[in-house]
Amino acid sequence: MSLDIFPTLPGLKWGSTRVPMHRTSVRETPSGREFRTRYFSFPRWRYKLAYEVLRETDGLAELKTLVGFFNARGGAAQRFLYLDPDDCSVVDQRLGTGDGAIRKFQLVRTWGGVVEPVYAAADDAQVFLGGALADPSTYDIGPSGVLSFNVPVAMGLPVTWAGHFYWRVRFKQDETEVSQFLQQLWEARSVELITVKP
């Protein structure tokens, strides 16, 4: 499992696209009645990024950085982490309440009233028990976003967290296109990412 982080490059065009995706099976009877089965409990997200300028001059290797990252992943073959600049942090996000036995909680974030799992916390993640900052030596956050305490959380004690997080993604396709429009200046009109489970 790759924990490499998608590079932040200055030529990203304003107005990137983000699409929530669900999977639903719809069966229709001869009378027209529908039976629907929902397969995803939370959406997958697809990102479409466009880079207006990727420089390739002395001291600037933006084109090589992007294409090199793509090639190192083998296109869609490997997962990596993406920091969505508009959806990458939580404050006082509730995870659950202790019952005297439970020690593990999945990190989550709430957006638009929907709770979704967080699979990759950044290094600045903080955990709170009953509103008080928990000692980092008393817990561990695993690579899949599972918060594990050394001892069970006391009965009735709320568990919350704050900090930044990454989206676990892969490239949507096995190919990407870059175009040269001036000497040593390139563009990538469509770099597509799709979220994946760990």
Side-chain angles (χ1 to χ4, degrees), residues 82-95:
Y82 172 64
L83 184 71
D84 179 345
D86 298 311
D87 186 9
C88 64
S89 65
V90 295
V91 176
D92 198 29
Q93 173 67 57
R94 190 175 181 99
L95 300 177

Side-chain angles (χ1 to χ4, degrees), residues 61-77:
E62 295 158 4
L63 174 67
K64 286 181 184 174
T65 299
L66 179 62
V67 175
F69 189 88
F70 179 83
N71 288 338
R73 310 281 91 60

Side-chain angles (χ1 to χ4, degrees), residues 81-150:
L81 301 178
Y82 172 64
L83 184 71
D84 179 345
D86 298 311
D87 186 9
C88 64
S89 65
V90 295
V91 176
D92 198 29
Q93 173 67 57
R94 190 175 181 99
L95 300 177
T97 304
D99 64 1
I102 192 168
R103 293 187 319 113
K104 295 187 178 188
F105 298 83
Q106 174 66 52
L107 295 184
V108 296
R109 76 94 157 95
T110 303
W111 195 74
V114 176
V115 178
E116 295 179 54
V118 167
Y119 295 129
D123 291 337
D124 67 349
Q126 296 180 312
V127 175
F128 299 85
L129 292 172
L133 183 62
D135 181 347
S137 68
T138 63
Y139 66 86
D140 175 64
I141 298 176
S144 295
V146 176
L147 168 64
S148 300
F149 288 96
N150 299 342

Side-chain angles (χ1 to χ4, degrees), residues 30-43:
S31 68
R33 186 174 179 190
E34 289 185 347
F35 294 92
R36 290 172 296 281
T37 304
R38 179 179 177 179
Y39 292 111
F40 292 171
S41 55
F42 52 87

